[in-house]
Amino acid sequence: QVQPVESGGGLVQAGDSLRLSCAAPGYTFSNYAVGWFRQAPGKEHDLVATISKSGDSTYYADSVKGRFTISRDSAKNTVYLQMNSLKSGDTAVYYCAADDRDYYTGRHYSYWGQGTQVTVSS
C-alpha cells in the first residue's frame, strides 16, 4: 500500500512561512488524490487542503484559504503545502494522506503518513 511520508515541519514565529512536502516512494503520486490534514492537541483531525489526481482541482479549509497553497510537482513525485502568514492557531501535527479517488474533500482517506509537527510561536 502507498505510504505517504511528510517532511518540513518545525518551529517558526507568527508571520513566517513554511513548506511541507509529501512523497510516496515506489508509487506514482499522480494516481491519487492527496490531502493535508492537521490535528491540534485534544482535537480531531481536520482537512486543510486537498488536490485532485490531475492537479486541476483544489480545496482549502476556510481557516487557511488565502494563506496556504497545495501543489504537485510530478517530476519530483511530490505534493507540497506552502504555508504563509502562519498563526499560532496553525500549530498542529500535519498529516499527508492519499486516496484512490480522483478528488476527495472528505475525511476518509485510505493511506496516511506519520505526521510532522508544526509549531508557531507568538
Side-chain angles (χ1 to χ4, degrees), residues 19 22 29-30 51 55 70-80:
R19 187 174 72 171
C22 181
F29 229 178
S30 60
I51 190 166
I70 188 170
S71 63
R72 288 182 178 270
D73 187 333
S74 296
K76 296 181 180 179
N77 201 37
T78 301
V79 172
Y80 301 100

Side-chain angles (χ1 to χ4, degrees), residues 9-111:
L11 174 63
V12 298
Q13 296 182 12
D16 286 353
S17 296
L18 201 62
R19 187 174 72 171
L20 305 183
S21 300
C22 181
Y27 294 84
T28 302
F29 229 178
S30 60
N31 288 336
Y32 305 88
V34 177
W36 285 96
F37 294 78
R38 67 186 183 186
Q39 185 171 28
K43 299 182 179 179
E44 295 184 354
H45 66 276
D46 295 318
L47 178 63
V48 175
T50 191
I51 190 166
S52 64
K53 286 182 177 181
S54 66
D56 292 335
S57 299
T58 58
Y59 165 86
Y60 299 94
D62 289 341
S63 59
V64 306
K65 192 173 183 65
R67 298 188 297 120
F68 291 11
T69 302
I70 188 170
S71 63
R72 288 182 178 270
D73 187 333
S74 296
K76 296 181 180 179
N77 201 37
T78 301
V79 172
Y80 301 100
L81 184 67
Q82 178 67 45
M83 305 185 293
N84 297 328
S85 302
L86 284 162
K87 307 173 181 179
S88 60
D90 296 319
T91 296
V93 177
Y94 283 71
Y95 297 91
C96 178
D99 198 87
D100 297 308
R101 299 172 174 90
D102 292 313
Y103 180 60
Y104 184 44
T105 59
R107 292 183 175 181
H108 302 296
Y109 276 64
S110 295
Y111 318 106

